[in-house]
Amino acid sequence: MLDNHRTRSSATLPDTHRRVPGRPAEARRTVERVVHERCQARALACPPEAVADALLVTSELTTNALLHGGGITGFDVEVDAGGVRVSVSDRSDELPVALQAADERGRTRPGGRGWPIVCRLARDVRVAELPRGGKCITAFVPLN
C-alpha cells in the first residue's frame, strides 16, 4: 500500500489554508471552508452527507497523526468535481493498522476503529513514505 505520492493543489489556497492544523477540529474547519468555497466557486454539487464523510475522514487522519504519528507535520485539501482529497503527514514511519475490537480474552478495547472508517468512506487511500522520514496519508472521498 506504499506509493510514492505527492499531493498538489490545482488551486492556490490562501495562506490561512496552508497552516498545519494543531487539532482535528481545526483541520475539519479548514476542510469545511475549502469544500464550501470550491463548490460554490465551481458550481459543484456538494451533498451534506458527502461533506460529513470528508470531515470524518479528516478527523480520523489528524487524530491518528497526533496519537500515533508524533504530530501533524503536513496538511492539504483539494476539491474537484469528483470529490475531496485530504492529505495528512506525520513523523512516524509506521503504517496504519486496524486493531481487533476485542483482545484475546474477548474483552472490548477502546480505539482502533479510525483506520477502518477511513478505508470504508474513502474511495482511494494511499500511504507514502516521506523523504525525510514519516509518512503522508492521502484519502479521496467522493462527493457524489
Side-chain angles (χ1 to χ4, degrees):
M1 189 154 162
L2 287 176
D3 291 338
N4 286 331
H5 181 75
R6 180 180 219 155
T7 302
R8 267 188 285 180
S9 178
S10 57
T12 303
L13 297 176
D15 288 343
T16 57
H17 293 166
R18 287 289 181 204
R19 205 172 119 240
V20 174
R23 298 187 326 200
E26 186 181 350
R28 285 191 307 271
R29 283 191 300 271
T30 299
V31 169
E32 193 168 37
R33 183 173 51 247
V34 171
V35 168
H36 176 75
E37 288 171 2
R38 297 301 185 265
C39 288
Q40 192 172 40
R42 297 178 184 161
L44 300 173
C46 293
E49 301 83 15
V51 175
D53 287 350
L55 295 176
L56 182 53
V57 166
T58 300
S59 187
E60 293 297 339
L61 291 178
T62 54
T63 297
N64 286 346
L66 290 167
L67 292 177
H68 309 292
I72 302 167
T73 59
F75 181 81
D76 194 29
V77 58
E78 299 176 45
V79 179
D80 62 30
V84 180
R85 187 173 321 278
V86 177
S87 298
V88 178
S89 300
D90 64 37
R91 291 181 176 86
S92 175
D93 295 327
E94 297 293 317
L95 297 176
V97 295
L99 298 176
Q100 296 295 323
D103 64 15
E104 59 279 347
R105 294 184 182 177
R107 296 178 297 201
T108 59
R109 66 175 93 186
R113 291 164 184 82
W115 186 242
I117 288 171
V118 169
C119 292
R120 183 175 191 118
L121 294 177
R123 182 183 309 150
D124 183 34
V125 180
R126 297 177 186 225
V127 180
E129 294 173 316
L130 297 174
R132 293 187 177 169
K135 66 183 169 299
C136 178
I137 300 177
T138 301
F140 179 79
V141 180
L143 281 175
N144 44 24

